Amino acid sequence: MNKKHLLAICLLTLISSSASAQFRKPLSSPRDRVQSSEAKLNVGLMGGGNLTTWLHIDRAEADDWYLVNYKPLLPKSLGFFGGIAIEYMTGANRSIGLNVLYAQRNMALHYTNEFFPIGLNQHVRREYDLEAFYPTVEAYVPFTFYFPLNTKRTVMPYIFAAPRASYILKGGGMKHRAINLDINTMDTLGINSVGAAISDSTYRMLNVGATVGLGSEFRINTSSYYFIFKFDVSANMYGLSTFTDIDLQNEFNHLRYGADAQATITFLLPIKKRLQGACIRWGEYD
């Protein structure tokens, strides 16, 4: 065998080895292929509707003062919101996020004060209608846990919890109306109404609380990419809240805590993705 024949054999061997390394089979298992294609960072838009109310804790200084029958009034208590959503995957089935949104909050509440004495033999039932409307800037940091229903992870229910903060912007207002009724005859004894702009003196501008919720993620796969849609519902409760320790219309002092329910639709775009079924080149993912 001359040198030309030996050189040709070596060249063919190198070409064969290179082709074999470049076109190996995809990753061995469907789970590995899915994980190799996951994006760590997802960014997108979110929006939806909210239902706002205020919870009351009676701190009446008289034994014969009773606050009862709290009823949110629809559709006056409905609002809307929109904003941006950022999610970072800290593991295959968990993430941490940051959601920042602008929200329009509307609150309408009816409640009753019963057996309030104004004389020796006369008692009054006082019916209240309380309405508020105010724009807010809100942010919360959800910690999310996913539960994949299949290996392709196209549908994944999830639960989440988040600390939450809300700041009330200028431009809101409040209406407060009280009707005094004779508890025996139900005759109207008087009507008191008041309106007020939202300010530091009437509202606690910063609200801090927590959010818990559940939902499901849906992935739309294409040949080389995927998009994420999420739908969830959540409940929010503020511990440091609007109207805490504020006296309105001679109601004595009551603790008022903001609470709301929220339905959200989120669209997320994965920032980085490795293609499913990609070849391995020289021992690394292509």
Side-chain angles (χ1 to χ4, degrees):
M1 180 180 296
N2 56 33
K3 292 182 178 181
K4 290 183 179 181
H5 291 160
L6 182 61
L7 182 61
I9 292 174
C10 290
L11 183 59
L12 290 174
T13 301
L14 288 174
I15 293 174
S16 176
S17 298
S18 176
S20 175
Q22 186 170 357
F23 297 104
R24 289 176 184 172
K25 292 182 179 180
L27 301 177
S28 59
S29 71
R31 178 177 175 83
D32 290 338
R33 288 201 300 273
V34 169
Q35 289 186 349
S36 72
S37 67
E38 293 290 337
K40 290 290 187 180
L41 183 64
N42 304 316
V43 178
L45 300 175
M46 61 183 302
N50 55 52
L51 172 64
T52 303
T53 188
W54 291 343
L55 305 178
H56 290 62
I57 297 178
D58 192 0
R59 295 179 59 193
E61 299 174 6
D63 293 336
D64 46 12
W65 185 286
Y66 301 94
L67 294 177
V68 295
N69 301 328
Y70 293 105
K71 298 178 181 178
L73 300 178
L74 296 174
K76 291 183 178 180
S77 295
L78 297 175
F80 62 88
F81 66 90
I84 61 173
I86 302 173
E87 180 183 41
Y88 182 78
M89 301 301 298
T90 59
N93 300 319
R94 62 183 184 273
S95 71
I96 183 173
L98 173 62
N99 299 335
V100 180
L101 54 92
Y102 169 89
Q104 175 62 48
R105 296 209 170 271
N106 303 310
M107 193 287 304
L109 185 68
H110 177 86
Y111 56 100
T112 303
N113 289 341
E114 291 186 345
F115 304 107
F116 180 70
I118 61 174
L120 293 178
N121 300 313
Q122 188 178 33
H123 291 72
V124 167
R125 187 172 79 182
R126 182 173 292 166
E127 300 283 346
Y128 285 96
D129 286 325
L130 180 61
E131 296 182 26
F133 49 95
Y134 47 97
T136 64
V137 173
E138 304 180 14
Y140 58 103
V141 181
F143 294 86
T144 306
F145 297 89
Y146 292 94
F147 305 94
L149 296 183
N150 50 51
T151 57
K152 293 183 178 180
R153 302 166 66 86
T154 54
V155 179
M156 292 196 296
Y158 59 85
I159 58 174
F160 66 93
R164 188 184 189 104
S166 171
Y167 186 81
I168 298 176
L169 303 175
K170 293 181 179 180
M174 179 189 66
K175 297 179 181 179
H176 195 259
R177 185 170 183 263
I179 303 175
N180 298 319
L181 302 171
D182 187 301
I183 201 168
N184 299 312
T185 64
M186 299 305 291
D187 293 333
T188 301
L189 300 176
I191 298 177
N192 300 320
S193 298
V194 63
I198 292 178
S199 66
D200 291 331
S201 62
T202 57
Y203 276 68
R204 195 182 294 271
M205 309 300 283
L206 177 64
N207 299 271
V208 180
T211 297
V212 294
L214 55 88
S216 185
E217 176 180 290
F218 304 91
R219 297 196 178 191
I220 309 300
N221 291 308
T222 66
S223 58
S224 60
Y225 214 75
Y226 66 89
F227 305 94
I228 297 174
F229 289 92
K230 300 173 74 172
F231 175 78
D232 57 63
V233 292
S234 59
N236 313 312
M237 177 68 182
Y238 294 102
L240 175 63
S241 184
T242 299
F243 278 123
T244 303
D245 279 337
I246 296 296
D247 184 10
L248 283 176
Q249 286 292 306
N250 299 318
E251 294 179 46
F252 295 97
N253 287 323
H254 307 285
L255 294 178
R256 293 179 173 83
Y257 294 102
D260 62 85
Q262 178 174 299
T264 307
I265 296 177
T266 306
F267 169 78
L268 293 173
L269 179 68
I271 296 303
K272 180 181 179 182
K273 177 180 184 297
R274 293 174 178 172
L275 303 183
Q276 292 189 11
C279 298
I280 301 176
R281 178 177 296 172
W282 302 110
E284 296 182 357
Y285 300 132
D286 191 2

